[in-house]
Amino acid sequence: MRFSSRFMKLVLAACVAFLAGCQEKEEAPVDYSAIAYKFLKPVSFADDASENPDISSLKRRLDYRYAVMLGDTLDVTVLEFESDVYALDYYMNSGHFQGSVPILRGNFLEQSFRADKHIFIFRHDSYRRYERADLENYVRKFPGYHGGFPQAFLSLPFEFREQGRSSIQTKFFLGVKSSFPVLVQSYRDGNLRWNVARSWDQVESDAFSAWASGLKHVEPVGIFPANDCIYFEAGEGSNGIASRLAGGRVAVVWGYLSWPDLERTFFTASDRIYEARF
């Protein structure tokens, strides 16, 4: 009995240790006011989480000032959005940024980066030289950094893809008010042009129906219409097909293709979007 009691105590202790090890460790809160540029702490810091009427989906704005050397300061503004799709939308479509190209604003030079749901804006005297690699290191070391293009674009077909013709639409889609963001990629094969779009995430059926009700529905010619697809006129002789796929993602294809070619392209895109694991 002694052995049995002792054995049970050891088993109980092991179980307690195992359960304690399985519990998720709480991450230590980030002290944003102490984030350094190289080894320099900011001489001033501001954190603004109030709603910004000019920038939709902006959650937070952080402003830093670093005294790099006597008479030389570096200002850094970090815009944090609800998700990377809204950050990318603002970065691509607001007209305030030129990618890796610095912008001269008065006596100041402005350089910008986008990383996941953050946009970083660096501002310094135009005659000061700041290596872009140093600014990139600041971005990479920022808490929660995730670089690269949103992976959702990888679920769109790549053959005949037009370079520089990727976009994000968050308020209107095909001229119709939309409550869900979509990613759009354009394609071209000779004189034929078409577009493929997918919703950023799952979309509620009511939201999809509300958007689809604003389209100009038509009867396709030369194909048998599917019950779960919407056929519409996209303007200027362009037709389209839209559907809310199983699982909730929305797929849309439109362009200057015949209905049979448009249908073939739509089902190819839909398969890739449906099979995507992001």
Side-chain angles (χ1 to χ4, degrees):
M1 290 297 291
R2 272 187 204 170
F3 175 79
S4 177
S5 176
R6 193 176 189 184
F7 178 75
M8 289 303 294
K9 287 180 180 178
L10 289 173
V11 170
L12 181 60
C15 290
V16 171
F18 175 77
L19 292 174
C22 289
Q23 290 180 349
E24 294 185 3
K25 294 183 178 179
E26 292 186 6
E27 295 184 3
V30 177
D31 182 4
Y32 285 94
S33 66
I35 294 176
Y37 172 74
K38 293 187 174 180
F39 299 103
L40 299 173
K41 298 294 184 181
V43 295
S44 67
F45 168 74
D47 184 351
D48 184 2
S50 61
E51 185 176 348
N52 189 317
D54 298 323
I55 309 178
S56 61
S57 303
L58 182 67
K59 287 184 61 179
R60 189 180 196 182
R61 171 178 173 144
L62 306 172
D63 287 289
Y64 299 86
R65 170 163 287 188
Y66 299 93
V68 180
M69 61 179 65
L70 186 63
D72 182 11
T73 58
L74 174 66
D75 291 321
V76 183
T77 295
V78 183
L79 303 178
E80 180 180 319
F81 291 80
E82 291 180 10
S83 70
D84 49 356
V85 67
Y86 292 105
L88 186 58
D89 172 44
Y90 187 70
Y91 195 73
M92 293 173 62
N93 301 323
S94 67
H96 295 306
F97 310 101
Q98 295 184 21
S100 61
V101 180
I103 300 175
L104 184 63
R105 300 190 190 278
N107 295 324
F108 296 93
L109 199 64
E110 191 175 279
Q111 301 187 56
S112 60
F113 297 80
R114 186 206 62 85
D116 54 86
K117 61 181 180 181
H118 297 102
I119 294 176
F120 296 80
I121 306 167
F122 297 89
R123 193 166 180 261
H124 54 84
D125 288 333
S126 59
Y127 56 85
R128 301 289 185 184
R129 180 176 177 82
Y130 280 82
E131 295 294 340
R132 194 164 176 86
D134 291 336
L135 306 183
E136 287 178 349
N137 286 335
Y138 180 92
V139 171
R140 290 179 181 276
K141 292 178 180 178
F142 200 83
Y145 167 81
H146 296 287
F149 208 59
Q151 293 294 299
F153 269 115
L154 299 182
S155 67
L156 301 181
F158 276 97
E159 190 177 18
F160 306 122
R161 182 175 182 266
E162 281 197 276
Q163 294 294 329
R165 294 294 301 278
S166 301
S167 64
I168 293 177
Q169 301 180 30
T170 58
K171 297 179 181 178
F172 289 87
F173 177 36
L174 286 169
V176 179
K177 189 174 181 180
S178 171
S179 61
F180 52 90
V182 295
L183 315 179
V184 181
Q185 175 63 58
S186 297
Y187 301 85
R188 180 172 184 173
D189 181 16
N191 292 326
L192 293 177
R193 283 188 167 182
W194 66 96
N195 305 276
V196 179
R198 57 153 287 173
S199 61
W200 172 255
D201 209 337
Q202 287 79 16
V203 175
E204 296 294 332
S205 59
D206 290 347
F208 173 70
S209 298
W211 169 75
S213 65
L215 299 173
K216 185 177 181 181
H217 296 202
V218 297
E219 290 291 331
V221 178
I223 61 173
F224 293 103
N227 292 331
D228 58 350
C229 290
I230 293 172
Y231 303 85
F232 62 93
E233 181 183 308
E236 300 181 354
S238 174
N239 293 314
I241 304 175
S243 181
R244 180 177 176 271
L245 308 178
R249 287 190 178 91
V250 171
V252 186
V253 173
W254 72 98
Y256 299 96
L257 301 175
S258 65
W259 280 110
D261 287 341
L262 195 65
E263 181 184 55
R264 192 178 305 111
T265 303
F266 174 79
F267 286 124
T268 299
S270 297
D271 286 343
R272 297 196 185 185
I273 293 169
Y274 176 75
E275 293 172 0
R277 292 294 178 262
F278 33 75

